[in-house]
């Protein structure tokens, strides 16, 4: 196997890890307000991902860094052409991360409500826009002879791309609902389980429509029907698993669905990394977008040494925090009291 192809597969693996792990983080944030009846419920939901959400985002950093080093022209074209949606995703991720840390700093309902909305919006925006972005990767964009993207912003919002956004939003919401039911007990577990069962069928329909459209219209390979089939079977099984309240099986199957979608996306792209719909000769390919063999060789040795350590550490983290949470275990607020400027002489 040549090194550019190897790194194409490694980057696909990094994206798979990111979307499977961060996918339920997004889903938890998306469902935090609908599933909660009060602040204790919202804190319980946040605590399900509290020890792991920042570690899950490392996969995005690694995927971006690997793309920058292994395929610099792909990175440059992608980040310049998709500047606005990627900026929106970055801003949402930053605001969401800050909200997790700041919502409990002050013991005030209005303060917490504002940060709760930041978590909700910061989860919905990337959940939708990642689907829009990947749908455009599969469909292709307009590139000139210098591999500069010349597609307009609204061209990125085609019906196919919007269906991709709806697909990832539903997949992540379903994944998050299952994760909450897996990590909690009592009333929250039942509430999340019912929500997962409700979301499973529309997710199956929307994701199925996107996969068939993508395969028929935009994939040049017949073998990519295999991940489509795997995702379909896994989603059908999720429908039955959520109704039977088999949270462990349901979570495994929803993770398998997202992994199969990533295999389909990168399989459909191959041998391109960014197809040009206006002129196939302008497409960015694994060959013409990659770094030198010397660079890729060094990267391969670094990845071979560090990736097992990262996997071991993250696996250990999930093992340590594997137990279910209950609302009764949520302690009282310890945030600072909100200062009233009208009554506080120090503020005048």
């Amino acid at each position: 196997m040549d090194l550019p192809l190897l790194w194409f597969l490694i980057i696909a693996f990094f994206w798979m890890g990111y979307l499977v792990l961060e996918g339920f983080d997004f889903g938890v944030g998306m469902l935090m307000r609908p599933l909660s009846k009060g602040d204790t419920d919202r804190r319980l939901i946040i605590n399900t991902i509290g020890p792991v959400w920042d570690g899950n985002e490392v996969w995005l950093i690694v995927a971006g860094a690997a793309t920058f080093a292994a395929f610099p022209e792909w990175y440059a074209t992608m980040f310049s052409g998709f500047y606005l949606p990627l900026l929106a995703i970055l801003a949402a991720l930053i605001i969401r991360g800050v909200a997790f840390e700041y919502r409990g700093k002050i013991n005030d309902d209005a303060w917490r409500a504002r940060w709760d909305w930041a978590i909700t919006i910061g989860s919905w925006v990337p959940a939708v826009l990642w689907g829009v972005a990947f749908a455009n990767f599969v469909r292709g964009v307009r590139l000139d002879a210098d591999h500069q993207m010349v597609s307009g912003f609204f061209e990125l919002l085609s019906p196919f791309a919007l269906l991709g956004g709806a697909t990832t939003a539903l997949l992540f919401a379903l994944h998050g609902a299952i994760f909450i039911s897996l990590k909690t007990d009592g009333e929250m577990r039942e509430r999340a389980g019912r929500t997962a069962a409700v979301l499973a069928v529309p997710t199956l329909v929307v994701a199925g429509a996107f996969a068939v459209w993508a395969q028929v219209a935009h994939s040049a390979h017949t073998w990519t029907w295999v991940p489509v089939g795997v995702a379909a079977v896994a989603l059908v099984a999720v429908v039955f698993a959520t109704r039977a309240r088999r949270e462990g099986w349901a979570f495994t199957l929803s993770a398998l669905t997202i992994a199969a979608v990533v295999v389909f996306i990168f399989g459909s792209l191959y041998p391109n990394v960014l197809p040009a719909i206006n002129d196939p000769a302008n497409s960015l390919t694994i060959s013409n977008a990659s770094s030198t063999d010397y660079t890729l060789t060094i990267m391969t040795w670094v990845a071979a040494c560090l990736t097992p350590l990262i996997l071991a550490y993250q696996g250990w983290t999930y093992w340590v925090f594997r137990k279910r949470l209950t609302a009764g275990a949520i302690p009282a607020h310890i945030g600072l009291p909100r200062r009233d400027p009208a009554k506080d002489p120090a503020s005048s």
Side-chain angles (χ1 to χ4, degrees):
M1 182 184 297
D2 63 352
L3 289 174
L5 176 57
L6 174 63
W7 272 96
F8 179 74
L9 297 176
I10 291 174
I11 289 170
F13 172 74
F14 288 153
W15 277 109
M16 184 184 298
Y18 172 69
L19 295 176
V20 168
L21 297 176
E22 189 76 343
F24 67 74
D25 285 352
F26 291 146
V28 168
M30 293 159 72
L31 297 174
M32 181 185 68
R33 296 184 69 89
L35 286 179
S36 60
K37 293 183 178 179
D39 186 63
T40 299
D41 283 348
R42 286 191 284 275
R43 293 174 66 197
L44 173 62
I45 291 172
I46 291 172
N47 282 355
T48 62
I49 60 172
V52 298
W53 70 266
D54 48 356
N56 294 343
E57 290 193 349
V58 170
W59 288 84
L60 174 62
I61 298 171
V62 173
T67 304
F68 172 78
F71 298 98
E73 194 157 2
W74 182 17
Y75 181 94
T77 301
M78 179 172 60
F79 275 78
S80 60
F82 290 85
Y83 181 81
L84 288 179
L86 292 178
L87 179 63
I89 290 172
L90 178 61
L93 292 176
I94 292 172
I95 292 170
R96 176 171 164 268
V98 170
F100 283 136
E101 301 297 333
Y102 271 69
R103 77 175 302 278
K105 297 297 184 183
I106 295 179
N107 188 8
D108 178 74
D109 290 339
W111 170 271
R112 287 190 292 268
R114 285 192 289 270
W115 289 116
D116 288 344
W117 276 112
I119 292 171
T120 300
I121 296 170
S123 299
W124 272 98
V125 169
V128 173
L129 291 184
W130 280 130
V132 172
F134 278 108
N136 277 289
F137 295 163
V138 172
R139 174 178 175 265
V141 294
R142 291 192 297 119
L143 299 174
D144 63 19
D146 295 322
H147 298 150
Q148 297 299 308
M149 186 169 152
V150 293
S151 296
F153 174 75
F154 290 102
E155 292 181 61
L156 304 179
L157 302 178
S158 65
F160 177 72
L162 295 177
L163 182 60
T167 297
T168 51
L170 283 169
L171 280 173
F172 294 159
L174 173 63
H175 202 37
I178 295 170
F179 183 77
I180 294 172
S181 67
L182 183 66
K183 286 289 294 178
T184 59
D185 213 342
E187 185 182 356
M188 180 58 68
R189 178 183 180 183
E190 291 301 315
R191 209 180 301 158
R194 289 195 300 270
T195 301
V198 169
L199 286 171
V201 173
T203 302
L204 173 63
V205 173
V206 173
F210 173 76
V212 171
W213 188 352
Q215 173 64 34
V216 172
H218 303 297
S219 178
H221 313 293
T222 56
W223 73 264
T224 48
W225 278 110
V226 174
V228 170
V230 170
V233 171
L235 265 182
V236 170
V238 167
V239 173
F240 291 101
T242 53
R243 292 183 178 181
R245 298 295 191 271
R246 301 293 297 273
E247 293 103 342
W249 277 108
F251 183 77
T252 301
L253 290 164
S254 64
L256 177 61
T257 300
I258 296 172
V261 170
V262 175
V263 172
F264 168 74
I265 289 171
F266 279 82
S268 299
L269 283 174
Y270 180 81
N272 298 315
V273 292
L274 192 60
I277 55 176
N278 54 318
D279 185 353
N282 295 342
S283 296
L284 280 169
T285 67
I286 293 174
S287 299
N288 66 24
S290 66
S291 295
T292 63
D293 281 351
Y294 180 74
T295 299
L296 297 179
T297 299
I298 295 175
M299 290 177 61
T300 302
W301 282 108
V302 172
C305 294
L306 296 183
T307 303
L309 296 176
I310 296 172
L311 292 174
Y313 172 76
Q314 195 156 31
W316 176 80
T317 302
Y318 278 93
W319 175 256
V320 170
F321 295 100
R322 65 189 182 278
K323 293 184 177 179
R324 292 181 183 270
L325 305 175
T326 62
I330 302 299
H333 284 291
I334 58 173
L336 297 172
R338 186 176 181 87
R339 262 191 338 191
D340 186 350
K343 298 180 181 179
D344 189 354
S347 63
S348 59

